[in-house]
Amino acid sequence: ENALAAFSRFLAASGPLLFLNLNLAASDGEDDVASLLETARRWSVPPQSVVVEVLESRFDDTQRLAAILSRFREQGFLVALDDVGVGHSNLDRIPLIKPDLLKIDRDLVRDVDLDHYRQGVFKALVYLGRRIGALIVAEGVETEPQAMMALELGADLLQGYYVGRPQPPQ
């Protein structure tokens, strides 16, 4: 509620995206989809301006996860796969989740301007994103050199302290 209310004030100015982390592991998704849709409408935030992020590592049942995310997508929300490239972000889940955005994990972004191995992995993930029609978000961008390299390697969006620190609702 607070995130959508604050975001609605910025929406008209520049058309940004609001990224919402949702814990859906104990949910069937129906109530969550309906609640988010109702709240977005109440604040005049179009669903296509809201990116639903789910930590898919909390789901053992990937079919259930795919079904829940499909319901969000049917209502116009975008879906992001978080922490791509590390941990539980298995590439085999991408065809099931069908993300609109791939968020390249901060561990790969850290020192991407200095490390050609990180650059190679980053480029491979950008290539994958292009092939499936997903935007690429570089997470954890903290310096100008990281930002410049991420953009040079093909990132569409940057997220991190270099771009802006979290702000309280206004």
Side-chain angles (χ1 to χ4, degrees), residues 86-158:
V86 299
H88 294 280
S89 214
N90 300 320
L91 296 179
D92 63 333
R93 293 186 178 192
I94 291 174
L96 290 170
I97 295 171
K98 297 178 178 60
D100 301 296
L101 297 97
L102 296 176
K103 295 185 70 181
I104 298 178
D105 189 80
R106 68 181 63 253
D107 285 341
L108 284 173
V109 174
R110 183 182 52 245
D111 296 329
V112 71
D113 54 313
L114 305 171
D115 184 337
H116 72 276
Y117 289 101
R118 289 177 194 271
Q119 292 168 16
V121 173
F122 195 106
K123 276 170 115 170
L125 292 171
V126 167
Y127 177 78
L128 171 63
R130 298 292 177 262
R131 297 289 296 170
I132 65 172
L135 294 174
I136 301 298
V137 181
E139 291 185 299
V141 176
E142 295 186 358
T143 67
E144 183 176 353
Q146 288 173 348
M148 294 295 99
M149 182 56 70
L151 292 171
E152 184 179 315
L153 294 172
D156 299 298
L157 301 167
L158 304 176

Side-chain angles (χ1 to χ4, degrees), residues 8-58:
S8 69
R9 291 189 285 273
F10 298 106
L11 189 58
S14 62
L17 295 173
L18 173 65
F19 287 75
L20 290 177
N21 287 301
L22 301 178
N23 182 0
L24 302 172
S27 167
D28 67 0
E30 291 295 331
D31 292 338
D32 297 297
V33 174
S35 176
L36 184 56
L37 187 60
E38 148 67 31
T39 306
R41 285 183 178 150
R42 186 168 45 255
W43 290 101
S44 301
V45 173
Q48 62 269 21
S49 296
V50 178
V51 180
V52 175
E53 288 186 51
V54 176
L55 274 175
E56 48 92 26
S57 62
R58 296 191 178 164

